[in-house]
Amino acid sequence: MTHRIQVGMLFIIMHLSFSYLIYPDLIYRLTKTSHWEVILCQGLMQLILLWIYYKGLNYFPDKNVIEIYLKIGKWAAIIFLTPYVINLIAIVGFNLRLHAEVINDVFLPRTPYWSILILLFFISVYTAIKGLDTILRSSVIIFFIVIPLIFFNIFSSFTNFDLHSVSPVWDSPLKFLFNIKYFYLMGFSSFLILGFISSGANSNFCQIFAVFVSVVLFSLSAVYIPLFIFGQETVTTLAYPFLEAINSVDISWFIFNRQTMVFGISLVGLVILANAVLLWMSGHIMQKTYKWKTMEAAYWIILLSVIAFVVALVVPHQSLVEKFFLWSTGAQTYFMIIIPSFIFLYGSLSKGGLVGYDKK
Amino acid sequence: MRNSVKEIKTKFSTQGDFFIEEESYDKMSCYLIGFKTLIDLPKTKLYIQQMGESCTSKSALLGKLSEETNVNTEQLIKGILEGKLVIVTKDGKENAIVDPIVQNLNSSIGEPKNESPVHSSTDAFVEDINTNVGMLRKRLNTDRLCHCTYQVGELDKRRLSMLYINGKAPNDLVNKIHHQLNQIDSDIETIDDLNKRFEKRRLSPVSHFSATELPIQAIHSLKKNRIVLFMDNYPFALVFPNLILDMFSTENDRNFPFILTFMLRFFRVIGAVATVIFPALYVALVSVNPGIFRTDLALFVAKSREGIPLSAFLETIAMVVLVDLILEAIVRLPKSVGPAITMVGGIILGQAVVEANLVSNLLVIVITAVVIASSAVIGMQNSLYIRLLKYPILVLASLFGILGVFIGFIFTIIYLASLTSDDIPYLTLRFEHKGDTK
Amino acid sequence: MIKSKVSRLSIVFLSILFLSGCWDIKDINNRSLPLVLGISKENGQEYKLTLQIPIPKSDNQISRTVTEKGKTVTNALGHIQTNSENAIDYSQVQLIVIQKNLAKNQQEFRDLIKFLMGSEDIPSRALVAITDDNVENVLSNINNKLGVNASAIYDYFNKGTAWAPELFSTPIWEVYRSQFLSTKDIAVPAVRAGKDTVLVFEGSTILRQGQFIETIGPKDSQMINVFNNKDVKGYTENLGFASIMVTNSSIQSKIKMNNNKPYVTSDLRLKIHILERKQGITNKKIYEKIERLTERRFYNLLKKTQHSQSDIFGFGQQFQHVISYHDLKDWRYKYYPDLKVDFKVHANLE
């Protein structure tokens, strides 16, 4: 029971970590009027994939994705999971770089971004090495620190709302579905983690659904807060709309002046945990797939994080980082489609999975 | 068999308090052997004499005095070391290890010295392990209270006791600890020696045990499925595993209405967080991120720091170290001198430092708040480790400002989350693994 | 073994960590915290920047002004950084006073606002004000006044609407936003240096997409506040034979399209409190007078703004549902001049 709650909190934290920087921007570029359509559409499609994934995993009780692939054969694990690890590393690298620059802007405008990058990497790697249990436990506490801060941000931004800035009309032709950016957008999720936590799939689908709905609500708030404050035309000219929206809030009774600090703090909490999970996943995959001389997962994590760090460091400027980040989320979309459907197919073909499993 | 007396004599010839007295009663003459420091000899003699009056024969008397009769020399020596009286008949044919009337070496049950419970019974554990276990038994009348004893150590066999409630404490945990305690092969002098026997935690400020002086607290822990260990000659109960909530809640709080209990615990949490964060926050706000202040506050702080030559980090670390020194000095000093140091350290030094314009008066307020806050948590060791945790955050804050404070805080949380004792995480909020009744 | 290696690695990482991150450390008493930033243009050529910096140490003088010129704003800021004794931390800038001559050039003004919005140091919550006066005079005026503190200029705008209903403030981000909005224009408060007080409120300047249209008086500014649903409580009006105070106001608007022309019906309900009146003046007369006065003021302002095609009331915002997104882009030029407003005031005693 407690484990499920922890997984749910981790799930929310991981999704939130994706939804504040590039996500609103991408949506504003996809459509000009009814943004909620895009968000709901994306949520629905992710939910369908999640359902397939869930069904597929249910064929193999108490097994995680790596074990399922290893059951098919080592080749399958290598072919399917190695590219996924590369993708994860890219996401970790670009995600941390992006966040490092934003955190840099918010807290320490004169400090070079790499020092913050080192700091974030250090904490993420440390957390990843400590293992999943530590991540889950700390996610509860970080959840209870970060979520009130986010709510504080959301409610304090109400003071600047101009309800007329947004037109809620239904924009019927779903043109955005065929936009490549929508494909990128689909990658802003990390539900694949559920398959790597052995008890993640054991949870009831209703619970997953409830958690997912709250994630969609948070995404809506991330998109609509800047929209209500600035309006569509202004929002597209800003680099980080959500940040600017929070920055515009001025609460006179609060002793501290800058709401962005509050936002920055919550962002730090989210990004550390999310990237720790991604690093842990990749280290875990590598360790189980390639059993090289009993190389510990910790070594893999350190090795992969060094690669990610170098990748994050060498990209020369920010627009390129954003572009690469979008590419890597696009690749993630690909894995989000491939892995669940493959497991689902394999599970249903091996006669409900259990039979095949028993024979082995 | 006479040579056994000789053997004992040569063995203990270097001991000043060793005695062999020849004594003759109407039915027998014998040697009484033992340590003067452990045995109240006159009273014991009287006791043997009284016993002898009602007995008819030698062996009947010895049998009445003790159940361990006619044992070999090694056991006799062991008995002497344990503070027993050994009686050997003059012909050396019969012997007995008698429980004598002992010199009272233990302090009587008194008030707790390290904790000061409000609204609670005020007896505390004592040195004697049997008294301690007895205190628990008296309060917990159930046959499910299990008591296992161990004698461990190389040089000195130290007595350890493990208590748990059958059916509450998880069985695998009990077995594991049983195993771990049996494996101990070196001397256990301190809690840290015992700590090392459990899961490895190098350089960790958090112990596997939470020590308590109060029987109520120990019983509460037992009822909450935990295991209590006692060490002989150590007037504390060691509760295993140590959980973070021990820092914030004691059973005593529950003597108040719920809302007051909640308030007390809430304040303790605030105290712990404030201790860890406040000095760092001061450095971060003053030297790295003053932009976060409201204008009036920023101008006020700037004014209060005007003309101070030290950098914010230096003045803070200096003051924090100084205050920790004062706290330590007060503990070391005899009780009669302690208040004087408090006066000199706290009031005069604080005043002088501000008046000399070495340290901003805002910092003095912050430091005072921290000292008070750090004492709000329960247990001296918890208070100490909370005080330790503030240093890394302070260093991070001086480099990265608010970001450093928060990252330091998260790092601390992750570190604490990574701690486990026998697979029970330190951050478990409720210890609910129920064992089955065997 | 493994653990020790990990800890060794972490020690290496930690030392790298401590080597990094030393750029933002500067104690607050070694920073200058300017509160007001004045921007003007000299001879239509160079930017002139003026900073009002409070002095915490001295008791005689509360603040000083620093002036520097440069080809661009960044240039001038750089000059100030170089020449100042302390590090200048712009994070406390609360007000930006812009001289009107600079604001007349639309492109320059847009660039300036864009710079202020994008700047990491200057908070985008800082308020904007326009002045006709010499910017330096406005900023240094604070030193000649007795009993004011360094943050007086900022305090001036933060009295709260209940205390000074006519005054209003506009932060940078609103000015920035108005440059992109096609359905709403904004007003920026206009001030000048006062004789007895630090500042004098002169009314407001209407901005249309970064272009100055005209200046309107405080009473007209009040109309705009009413339409933006801002609290106008405490606003007083002298009617000649009586004077009243508004205690509550609420506005309700209905919109519709007539032959592709926008049409708005607005009802303003004023709750008033009569402060004084000449003898024999009935409540009804006062109601009529205040209603007529307010309506006339509104229609005058509407005519003026329709002429200059600047939708200061934000009527266009309400047509978001009726007119399509793309058509609305031309609201100012295509629809707004044809807008018909049926404005009715209903005054009532509290």
Side-chain angles (χ1 to χ4, degrees):
Chain A
M1 184 62 195
T2 42
H3 203 70
R4 276 189 209 157
I5 294 173
Q6 287 175 341
V7 172
M9 285 175 177
L10 187 66
F11 193 77
I12 293 179
I13 286 177
M14 292 201 64
H15 278 83
L16 283 186
S17 78
F18 281 117
S19 59
Y20 283 110
L21 292 189
I22 305 286
Y23 184 80
D25 217 34
L26 210 55
I27 294 212
Y28 303 140
R29 273 189 267 161
L30 268 172
T31 178
K32 277 182 176 160
T33 43
S34 44
H35 306 82
W36 54 273
E37 269 176 58
V38 187
I39 301 167
L40 289 187
C41 215
Q42 175 226 6
L44 194 69
M45 287 175 94
Q46 282 178 352
L47 198 64
I48 292 169
L49 288 175
L50 186 54
W51 186 78
I52 294 173
Y53 194 42
Y54 174 77
K55 281 282 155 196
L57 285 173
N58 265 4
Y59 286 123
F60 309 94
D62 298 328
K63 291 243 148 193
N64 62 27
V65 173
I66 309 168
E67 284 162 342
I68 294 169
Y69 273 107
L70 281 175
K71 212 181 87 181
I72 304 167
K74 200 170 176 183
W75 56 270
I78 291 175
I79 287 174
F80 280 96
L81 294 179
T82 316
Y84 184 52
V85 169
I86 295 169
N87 181 226
L88 282 179
I89 292 308
I91 289 182
V92 169
F94 297 126
N95 194 5
L96 278 177
R97 166 75 189 265
L98 260 167
H99 281 81
E101 296 209 0
V102 172
I103 289 163
N104 201 354
D105 280 4
V106 173
F107 291 100
L108 308 157
R110 273 167 282 271
T111 308
Y113 71 87
W114 54 262
S115 69
I116 291 166
L117 199 61
I118 292 176
L119 192 67
L120 291 179
F121 257 105
F122 177 73
I123 307 273
S124 301
V125 171
Y126 174 81
T127 318
I129 289 175
K130 286 288 178 184
L132 184 68
D133 288 333
T134 303
I135 293 172
L136 283 175
R137 264 175 256 136
S138 41
S139 75
V140 176
I141 298 183
I142 291 175
F143 183 87
F144 281 117
I145 297 173
V146 164
I147 297 297
L149 293 182
I150 286 177
F151 272 114
F152 176 71
N153 273 331
I154 291 175
F155 288 119
S156 66
S157 66
F158 283 173
T159 51
N160 281 352
F161 270 20
D162 183 355
L163 292 179
H164 292 300
S165 306
V166 179
S167 50
V169 280
W170 171 257
D171 194 21
S172 43
L174 301 171
K175 274 182 290 183
F176 58 82
L177 282 179
F178 305 103
N179 195 326
I180 183 75
K181 284 186 187 120
Y182 183 73
F183 189 69
Y184 297 153
L185 192 71
M186 285 287 293
F188 280 75
S189 170
S190 41
F191 64 72
L192 286 178
I193 173 76
L194 288 182
F196 290 86
I197 306 168
S198 47
S199 60
N202 292 349
S203 45
N204 193 330
F205 192 73
C206 274
Q207 289 164 341
I208 297 180
F209 182 74
V211 170
F212 200 80
V213 167
S214 63
V215 167
V216 170
L217 287 180
F218 274 117
S219 309
L220 276 173
S221 78
V223 171
Y224 270 89
I225 284 175
L227 217 52
F228 271 124
I229 291 179
F230 292 115
Q232 167 70 21
E233 293 94 334
T234 321
V235 142
T236 47
T237 64
L238 297 169
Y240 297 112
F242 195 84
L243 197 68
E244 293 291 351
I246 296 300
N247 210 355
S248 74
V249 179
D250 188 8
I251 305 176
S252 50
W253 51 264
F254 200 52
I255 40 163
F256 294 131
N257 206 354
R258 296 187 63 185
Q259 298 296 300
T260 26
M261 291 272 182
V262 177
F263 173 64
I265 282 174
S266 47
L267 210 58
V268 171
L270 295 175
V271 76
I272 285 176
L273 219 55
N275 286 297
V277 173
L278 296 182
L279 279 174
W280 173 81
M281 267 163 80
S282 46
H284 201 57
I285 294 174
M286 292 308 267
Q287 190 221 352
K288 287 229 168 146
T289 327
Y290 304 85
K291 285 176 179 145
W292 271 346
K293 296 174 195 164
T294 64
M295 190 155 156
E296 289 255 338
Y299 284 123
W300 277 114
I301 291 171
I302 291 172
L303 181 76
L304 295 174
S305 69
V306 169
I307 297 172
F309 180 72
V310 172
V311 165
L313 207 60
V314 292
V315 183
H317 57 90
Q318 209 172 343
S319 58
L320 220 54
V321 177
E322 266 174 48
K323 205 161 147 194
F324 288 155
F325 180 71
L326 286 182
W327 284 354
S328 50
T329 59
Q332 165 136 317
T333 312
Y334 177 74
F335 288 109
M336 276 163 49
I337 297 168
I338 291 293
I339 293 180
S341 42
F342 183 83
I343 288 177
F344 181 74
L345 281 178
Y346 177 66
S348 52
L349 283 179
S350 62
K351 290 178 191 169
L354 271 173
V355 185
Y357 173 63
D358 284 343
K359 270 179 196 166
K360 196 120 189 182
Chain B
M1 275 296 260
R2 254 194 84 101
N3 51 357
S4 71
V5 176
K6 248 184 198 156
E7 199 180 316
I8 293 171
K9 205 171 179 177
T10 43
K11 178 111 192 170
F12 293 109
S13 60
T14 50
Q15 313 289 350
D17 53 348
F18 178 72
F19 68 85
I20 296 187
E21 282 199 16
E22 237 181 286
E23 198 75 8
S24 60
Y25 300 99
D26 48 352
K27 287 176 194 76
M28 65 167 186
S29 55
C30 59
Y31 294 110
L32 302 182
I33 308 170
F35 280 114
K36 272 180 215 154
T37 42
L38 297 174
I39 299 168
D40 191 345
L41 197 58
K43 278 188 188 164
T44 312
K45 275 182 187 168
L46 201 67
Y47 164 69
I48 296 174
Q49 211 161 5
Q50 280 170 355
M51 296 294 278
E53 276 163 13
S54 59
C55 282
T56 48
S57 75
K58 239 193 268 179
S59 44
L61 171 64
L62 290 182
K64 205 168 188 181
L65 282 171
S66 153
E67 276 160 19
E68 285 177 273
T69 51
N70 301 333
V71 292
N72 61 20
T73 319
E74 260 173 52
Q75 272 170 304
L76 289 180
I77 289 174
K78 193 172 164 239
I80 291 168
L81 280 174
E82 279 171 2
K84 303 272 171 66
L85 178 75
V86 169
I87 302 177
V88 184
T89 52
K90 222 157 192 182
D91 52 4
K93 277 182 186 148
E94 285 174 273
N95 58 34
I97 300 173
V98 178
D99 278 328
I101 293 172
V102 294
Q103 297 273 24
N104 196 4
L105 292 178
N106 297 318
S107 51
S108 59
I109 296 175
E111 296 202 353
K113 302 261 174 2
N114 297 292
E115 291 170 64
S116 44
V118 186
H119 255 246
S120 143
S121 66
T122 53
D123 47 356
F125 289 122
V126 292
E127 273 77 14
D128 183 42
I129 194 165
N130 290 332
T131 319
N132 289 345
V133 176
M135 282 166 90
L136 288 194
R137 283 234 187 255
K138 200 182 113 195
R139 286 177 170 77
L140 200 64
N141 300 318
T142 168
D143 57 336
R144 280 165 66 194
L145 178 66
C146 299
H147 178 200
C148 310
T149 54
Y150 309 87
Q151 287 218 326
V152 294
E154 201 185 357
L155 181 71
D156 157 48
K157 295 278 180 208
R158 188 139 194 196
R159 284 176 66 196
L160 295 177
S161 284
M162 172 174 79
L163 286 105
Y164 60 93
I165 294 180
N166 195 4
K168 285 222 171 204
N171 288 336
D172 47 342
L173 185 68
V174 171
N175 292 337
K176 216 166 173 182
I177 291 182
H178 182 74
H179 195 63
Q180 277 164 334
L181 288 177
N182 271 330
Q183 272 186 333
I184 298 177
D185 49 2
S186 61
D187 277 8
I188 301 290
E189 271 186 80
T190 55
I191 301 188
D192 197 45
D193 292 333
L194 199 59
N195 241 337
K196 281 180 193 150
R197 295 288 138 192
F198 291 86
E199 214 168 303
K200 235 188 187 175
R201 269 194 204 167
R202 286 187 315 140
L203 299 176
S204 166
V206 187
S207 161
H208 285 292
F209 305 102
S210 71
T212 176
E213 248 182 328
L214 305 174
I216 314 175
Q217 187 60 30
I219 285 172
H220 178 66
S221 310
L222 281 175
K223 283 183 183 163
K224 289 280 180 223
N225 316 334
R226 295 207 247 168
I227 292 171
V228 169
L229 298 179
F230 283 107
M231 276 204 283
D232 201 10
N233 297 324
Y234 184 74
F236 286 89
L238 304 175
V239 178
F240 181 92
N242 182 16
L243 303 181
I244 194 162
L245 275 192
D246 292 339
M247 203 190 318
F248 304 124
S249 70
T250 97
E251 180 59 6
N252 264 330
D253 304 340
R254 302 281 296 278
N255 290 328
F256 299 108
F258 170 73
I259 190 86
L260 296 183
T261 311
F262 179 78
M263 183 190 81
L264 284 175
R265 292 177 179 177
F266 186 65
F267 280 141
R268 288 186 197 127
V269 174
I270 290 181
V273 173
T275 312
V276 170
I277 278 186
F278 267 20
L281 207 58
Y282 173 80
V283 174
L285 289 179
V286 163
S287 77
V288 187
N289 289 112
I292 196 174
F293 281 131
R294 287 207 80 76
T295 311
D296 317 357
L297 206 56
L299 293 178
F300 168 75
V301 174
K303 199 169 181 180
S304 83
R305 271 194 60 79
E306 201 52 61
I308 289 168
L310 295 177
S311 76
F313 175 65
L314 272 183
E315 63 166 353
T316 311
I317 196 109
M319 284 303 279
V320 170
V321 169
L322 198 64
V323 161
D324 277 351
L325 279 181
I326 291 175
L327 286 179
E328 182 57 17
I330 292 172
V331 175
R332 293 293 137 231
L333 281 168
K335 282 215 169 61
S336 48
V337 194
I341 283 291
T342 325
M343 267 298 272
V344 174
I347 302 168
I348 302 179
L349 188 81
Q351 189 76 21
V353 135
V354 171
E355 272 183 11
N357 227 355
L358 265 178
V359 163
S360 100
N361 38 21
L362 199 64
L363 176 68
V364 175
I365 296 170
V366 169
I367 296 292
T368 320
V370 166
V371 173
I372 295 168
S374 74
S375 317
V377 294
I378 293 162
M380 197 55 203
Q381 60 169 6
N382 288 328
S383 164
L384 272 176
Y385 100 74
I386 288 281
R387 267 156 59 191
L388 173 72
L389 288 180
K390 73 184 170 223
Y391 288 98
I393 299 184
L394 185 60
V395 173
L396 272 178
S398 71
L399 293 174
F400 293 100
I402 296 281
L403 176 71
V405 175
F406 190 64
I407 286 205
F409 191 62
I410 283 196
F411 187 76
T412 311
I413 286 172
I414 291 169
Y415 172 71
L416 292 181
S418 74
L419 295 177
T420 54
S421 15
D422 278 338
D423 294 333
I424 299 153
Y426 179 59
L427 288 192
T428 310
L429 291 186
R430 204 175 286 160
F431 187 45
E432 263 184 328
H433 306 273
K434 288 223 168 166
D436 6 284
T437 346
K438 272 180 234 169
Chain C
M1 182 60 194
I2 290 152
K3 283 241 164 167
S4 73
K5 271 196 181 171
V6 170
S7 57
R8 240 177 269 164
L9 259 177
S10 56
I11 286 167
V12 172
F13 265 116
L14 274 178
S15 44
I16 295 174
L17 214 64
F18 293 146
L19 288 177
S20 64
C22 295
W23 291 264
D24 279 279
I25 302 168
K26 194 96 204 163
D27 286 351
I28 192 169
N29 48 328
N30 296 328
R31 298 185 190 218
S32 294
L33 303 168
L35 298 183
V36 187
L37 176 66
I39 304 171
S40 57
K41 210 155 188 210
E42 290 253 303
N43 317 324
Q45 293 270 323
E46 281 192 312
Y47 282 100
K48 194 170 88 176
L49 252 66
T50 317
L51 299 179
Q52 186 234 331
I53 304 171
I55 313 168
K57 22 198 157 189
S58 104
D59 288 333
N60 310 330
Q61 209 185 7
I62 35 183
S63 74
R64 60 183 188 145
T65 51
V66 176
T67 308
E68 204 69 56
K69 287 174 196 166
K71 283 220 171 62
T72 58
V73 179
T74 10
N75 207 331
L77 284 176
H79 282 304
I80 294 182
Q81 285 283 20
T82 322
N83 296 337
S84 93
E85 302 82 16
N86 284 331
I88 293 187
D89 181 352
Y90 292 98
S91 61
Q92 295 291 350
V93 170
Q94 303 286 2
L95 177 70
I96 292 163
V97 182
I98 299 170
Q99 201 165 29
K100 209 166 194 176
N101 60 7
L102 173 113
K104 280 203 170 116
N105 185 331
Q106 187 183 2
Q107 194 49 47
E108 267 177 5
F109 186 75
R110 287 183 78 128
D111 289 346
L112 178 68
I113 292 295
K114 197 172 174 205
F115 166 76
L116 292 175
M117 185 75 182
S119 157
E120 284 154 11
D121 289 342
I122 302 169
S124 60
R125 289 179 317 275
L127 307 175
V128 181
I130 306 271
T131 185
D132 265 334
D133 243 343
N134 188 340
V135 171
E136 268 178 88
N137 287 350
V138 177
L139 265 61
S140 56
N141 197 21
I142 191 170
N143 279 328
N144 314 328
K145 306 287 176 286
L146 269 180
V148 286
N149 47 2
S151 57
I153 296 186
Y154 166 67
D155 293 341
Y156 178 84
F157 282 98
N158 274 291
K159 285 185 282 235
T161 45
W163 297 93
E166 284 183 15
L167 193 67
F168 67 101
S169 54
T170 313
I172 296 178
W173 64 268
E174 269 185 40
V175 179
Y176 180 78
R177 178 179 72 173
S178 77
Q179 296 177 1
F180 298 95
L181 284 184
S182 46
T183 49
K184 193 181 177 190
D185 292 309
I186 59 157
V188 176
V191 293
R192 63 176 165 78
K195 232 168 114 191
D196 306 319
T197 55
V198 179
L199 292 178
V200 172
F201 181 59
E202 282 195 313
S204 50
T205 310
I206 298 171
L207 271 178
R208 186 187 68 197
Q209 298 198 300
Q211 191 184 3
F212 277 73
I213 304 302
E214 58 194 311
T215 305
I216 54 176
K219 299 270 182 213
D220 288 341
S221 311
Q222 190 62 26
M223 272 332 293
I224 299 166
N225 282 350
V226 166
F227 269 87
N228 287 335
N229 255 330
K230 282 187 183 152
D231 195 11
V232 290
K233 190 181 173 191
Y235 170 69
T236 53
E237 181 82 68
N238 187 11
L239 304 172
F241 48 78
S243 63
I244 57 115
M245 183 172 79
V246 177
T247 54
N248 197 358
S249 79
S250 67
I251 189 152
Q252 275 182 330
S253 302
K254 277 185 198 136
I255 55 156
K256 64 177 171 192
M257 294 295 283
N258 265 353
N259 300 331
N260 212 19
K261 291 209 170 121
Y263 184 80
V264 179
T265 335
S266 280
D267 288 285
L268 174 68
R269 279 168 210 289
L270 291 178
K271 286 256 189 297
I272 59 168
H273 176 68
I274 297 166
L275 297 172
E276 54 173 332
R277 61 172 118 185
K278 285 190 179 150
Q279 270 199 337
I281 304 293
T282 57
N283 283 349
K284 206 180 164 204
K285 200 164 174 197
I286 294 175
Y287 294 157
E288 269 172 17
K289 177 84 184 186
I290 180 85
E291 282 164 9
R292 230 177 38 240
L293 193 72
T294 316
E295 277 163 22
R296 202 175 60 223
R297 199 176 279 152
F298 170 75
Y299 283 119
N300 278 342
L301 192 60
L302 181 70
K303 213 169 136 194
K304 237 200 258 180
T305 55
Q306 273 181 332
H307 183 68
S308 59
Q309 297 176 327
S310 51
D311 184 2
I312 192 76
F313 300 104
F315 284 120
Q317 294 278 62
Q318 300 178 26
F319 283 88
Q320 293 264 16
H321 315 282
V322 187
I323 304 172
S324 80
Y325 180 80
H326 293 284
D327 289 342
L328 215 53
K329 289 215 149 137
D330 297 323
W331 162 262
R332 279 197 191 89
Y333 312 104
K334 226 168 108 188
Y335 296 98
Y336 186 59
D338 299 329
L339 175 75
K340 289 269 178 301
V341 182
D342 187 11
F343 182 65
K344 283 215 174 60
V345 183
H346 312 274
N348 225 327
L349 262 190
E350 199 177 16

